[in-house]
Amino acid sequence: MSAAVALELSPRTRLLLHGAIVPTLLRMAWPNVMVMLAQASTGLIETWFVSRLGTYALAGMAVVFPGFMMMQMLSAGAMGGGISSAIARALGAGRRQDADALVLHGIVINVAFGVAFSALFLVFGEPLYRAMGVDGNALAAALVYSNIVFAGTTLVWLMNALASVIRGTGNMLVPSLAVCAGVVLLIPLSPCLIFGYGPFPALGIAGAGVAVVVTTTLTLAALAWYIVSGRSLVRFKAASMRRPLFVDILRVGAVGSISTLQTSLTVLLTTALVGAAGGAGAVAGYGTAARLEYLLIPLVFGLGAPLVALIGTNIGANQGARALRIALVGGALAFALTESIGVAAAIWPQAWLGLFGDEPRMIETGSAYLRVVGPTYGFFGLGLALYFASQGAGRLLWPLLAGLLRLLIAIGGGWLALRLTGSMVGLFAALAVGLFVYGVMLAGAVGSGVWFRQQPVGAQSRM
């Protein structure tokens, strides 16, 4: 980095380039981790409220949840990571005008994908949920909830675009506060709309969907105000559409989207296998148990968003060795966090499942899943953290390959186990092996320096 560029860097950018790694990472991560814990708690509370409507409502929500989480992961983690990575690399290289222009480019990309995603689920939701093993009242509940939340999908994509813009500057606190405010509102609003407390109508499962759309809209408004007011390091400015800037976002975001689709497809296909073998009760059990796995994603995102900003900024400033060390430290922290959760769930599965019901088939299936798969959650967290780190580096081939191998092992092996034994334990064992391979493969690849095959790490700046 030239002396002239160094002088133009903001204090926040200089901290990303030269601050002590662990304190800087933790300082950036704690607002995200706390708000993701709040979001996870809210998701659990909302699921608990819906479970009061009956097993059919819980099963309906279970088949919608993977698609909704896939949309969240695509908009915040994949495309959002592409936006954050592009802005971080532009700021690290001292290209402030490009960083400002990337704001509008990121918004255009996410809004376009949001509209397409909404149309997809509104048109094909019913055959998808049937294929996942629900019908009758469970299917009706799924369609009511799905049609509402996916009608508001574009708002979620736009909200996550703005949050990713701000995170790309290294500012994790403002997006976290905005999301947290939405969480605070959702907790009372959801039961009011589900059960009809006070002046609110009793909407049933539809109320849960309406609450999500309302709080998303308010969070979006808060983030937009922050950027428009000029408080953000990057600004919303009119800019001509430039192909290189779209490419800069999409070369990370599009590949990251494939990786996200692999994760969601694994859950969707597993749900279909479980539904075919055990019916709606088993779907409710697996869906409720697997919700814990899905909730690991926003928790790791608490570490992953800082990793994107830190690594992207250091890569932009040609500090490759420091970027690699940041990735490995982040991966180790994510492993410790998610492994502790997985082991606890494996030891006490009913402590989780009992929150949502006591139907025997649901408890049996969910407990089997957590006992077998829970102990490998650490490898999922490790691989996911290194996926975010690879976004920051702009190198996503290995996360893509690792995700594909996980999908093949989990679904191919699970289908074979069900066919040979008829037992869901074999299916869940295949899921566990897939998670183990995913984490170990990515750790080995990133640790060996695959990001720098054309630019050896030893030639980079010191750590």
Side-chain angles (χ1 to χ4, degrees), residues 93-348:
R95 297 185 285 113
R96 289 295 301 273
Q97 289 186 342
D98 283 350
D100 287 338
L102 283 163
V103 176
L104 182 58
H105 287 70
I107 289 172
V108 170
I109 289 171
N110 265 28
V111 168
F113 275 97
V115 171
F117 209 93
S118 179
L120 181 66
F121 272 83
L122 291 175
V123 173
F124 297 107
E126 182 174 354
L128 172 63
Y129 303 141
R130 285 188 184 278
M132 293 173 70
V134 295
D135 54 19
N137 288 337
L139 177 61
L143 289 174
V144 169
Y145 183 72
S146 175
N147 288 342
I148 292 172
V149 296
F150 286 114
T153 287
T154 304
L155 297 173
V156 177
W157 280 79
L158 181 54
M159 179 195 74
N160 283 324
L162 299 185
S164 299
V165 163
I166 299 169
R167 290 189 183 107
T169 69
N171 185 340
M172 306 294 147
L173 183 59
V174 167
S176 297
L177 289 176
V179 172
C180 206
V183 166
V184 170
L185 176 60
L186 182 64
I187 290 175
L189 183 60
S190 187
C192 285
L193 290 172
I194 292 172
F195 303 113
Y197 296 144
F200 297 96
L203 300 178
I205 196 170
V210 172
V212 169
V213 174
V214 169
T215 53
T216 298
T217 302
L218 295 175
T219 305
L220 165 62
L223 293 171
W225 172 84
Y226 181 78
I227 295 175
V228 171
S229 69
R231 289 169 169 79
S232 173
L233 185 58
V234 291
R235 310 294 177 85
F236 181 83
K237 293 183 178 179
S240 58
M241 297 293 98
R242 293 156 53 190
R243 184 174 180 274
L245 296 185
F246 281 122
V247 170
D248 203 17
I249 294 173
L250 290 172
R251 71 185 181 89
V252 174
V255 178
S257 295
I258 297 173
S259 182
T260 298
L261 289 170
Q262 290 170 339
T263 299
S264 297
L265 188 59
T266 300
V267 176
L268 288 169
L269 292 177
T270 302
T271 303
L273 290 175
V274 170
V283 168
Y286 166 70
T288 303
R291 191 178 182 99
L292 182 60
E293 178 183 329
Y294 258 122
L295 292 176
L296 297 179
I297 296 171
L299 289 178
V300 177
F301 182 75
L303 284 168
L307 285 174
V308 173
L310 275 163
I311 291 171
T313 303
N314 279 275
I315 292 290
N318 201 35
Q319 295 189 166
R322 175 177 165 85
L324 180 56
R325 186 176 178 186
I326 291 169
L328 297 178
V329 169
L333 291 173
F335 178 88
L337 174 64
T338 52
E339 183 66 9
S340 62
I341 294 172
V343 169
I347 296 173
W348 301 290

